[in-house]
Amino acid sequence: MLEDDPNGNTETIKSNVSPRWGPQHKGAQELANLYSPGKRAQEIICVYTCIALMVVNFVFILRHFHLDRVSIAFLAAFCGIITADFGSGIVHWAADTWGSVELPILGKNFLRPFREHHIDPTSITRHDFIETNGDNFMVAIPILGVLFYNFLTKTPENIQQDFGWISYLFLCSIFVAMTNQFILMTYTSLLLDPQMVTYVCALPKWVLFLQNSHIILPRRHHRIHHVAPHETYFCITTGWLNWPLEKLKFWSSMEVAIEYLTGCKPRDDDLKWAKK
């Protein structure tokens, strides 16, 4: 069994046996076909709007930046990364664990990619920049929009007074927006051949450096999440919080509480698609 294949899916597959996951899996194909033109339009609008706000806010930050603010910028970056990592875990856990693809609006548009990713993990390597990042860029838009409004309406003195908070929100939004791109980097080396038998590994050196330095999510770290039933290590921006949250039994405690209060079983919809 290969290191990046914890469920043994790349072992020799007999022609008369359906693949356990991958692009040939029936559930994966059905989920991929639910990607609609309306969803594509939403992602395009979100990506271009978010990038425009990123650029404009960055220009404003440079205009108001002073060298004595370097320490604040570094602290803001650290706090922004931690917040984005925790936020990615909350969203990832909620979308992986609860709800159904059949839910109106939310299901096909926002839960569908999570179901598809579990039964075809390398599908993200076949998505373009828009499809990969559209939803994350959408989440960052309100934060960047508030910052842009503040830059337009506040005095330079007030901006300097709030510079630490502004830097934190800006850097947090950047890491939130780029989370799926970081995930894509963990999969670019996992390109399966048409028979899903072998891996072809070719990670760029700079990506390996970022992964080995744990600046972005390491591939070995993320594979823990992809061991069925996908019930741990949900933080996917950097993965810094995965170990402490696991030690605190944060996710499992939340699931026990929600199941007790609602009667809903965690990952019930996920299992349904995996069985197709």
Side-chain angles (χ1 to χ4, degrees), residues 105-148:
I105 302 175
L106 184 66
K108 291 181 181 179
N109 290 311
F110 300 106
L111 298 183
R112 177 196 65 82
F114 292 87
R115 304 292 179 269
E116 181 187 11
H117 184 60
H118 280 173
I119 51 181
D120 183 11
T122 57
S123 63
I124 194 170
T125 65
R126 301 187 296 277
H127 296 168
D128 63 6
F129 186 86
I130 299 292
E131 186 174 357
T132 299
N133 299 292
D135 288 342
N136 288 72
F137 276 48
M138 179 185 67
V139 173
I141 287 174
I143 307 172
L144 294 168
V146 169
L147 288 179
F148 180 53

Side-chain angles (χ1 to χ4, degrees), residues 17 24-25 140 215:
V17 178
Q24 310 307 320
H25 188 286
I215 297 172

Side-chain angles (χ1 to χ4, degrees), residues 64 150-162 166:
H64 292 278
N150 287 339
F151 277 123
L152 291 178
T153 58
K154 287 189 174 183
T155 65
E157 292 76 19
N158 286 335
I159 290 173
Q160 284 301 314
Q161 194 173 30
D162 297 336
I166 290 169

Side-chain angles (χ1 to χ4, degrees), residues 11-12 17 54-55 64 79 98 109 129 134 152 162-163 187 205 219-220 223-224 231 252 255 275:
E11 293 175 356
T12 303
V17 178
M54 284 180 184
V55 172
H64 292 278
C79 293
W98 311 106
N109 290 311
F129 186 86
L152 291 178
D162 297 336
F163 193 80
Y187 285 99
K205 289 183 179 180
R219 186 178 59 185
R220 291 185 179 184
R223 73 182 286 270
I224 297 172
E231 60 185 1
S252 58
E255 289 173 14
K275 287 181 175 179

Side-chain angles (χ1 to χ4, degrees), residues 42-101:
Q42 170 251 309
E43 291 172 345
I44 291 173
I45 293 170
C46 289
V47 166
Y48 281 101
T49 301
C50 186
I51 290 175
L53 287 171
M54 284 180 184
V55 172
V56 171
N57 278 300
F58 183 63
V59 171
F60 275 117
I61 286 174
L62 289 180
R63 284 178 57 186
H64 292 278
F65 180 75
H66 297 159
L67 287 177
D68 60 352
R69 298 288 183 173
V70 171
S71 59
I72 293 177
F74 276 109
L75 179 61
F78 177 77
C79 293
I81 292 171
I82 292 292
T83 304
D85 198 41
F86 182 69
S88 74
I90 290 290
V91 172
H92 189 189
W93 167 76
D96 270 11
T97 309
W98 311 106
S100 166
V101 174

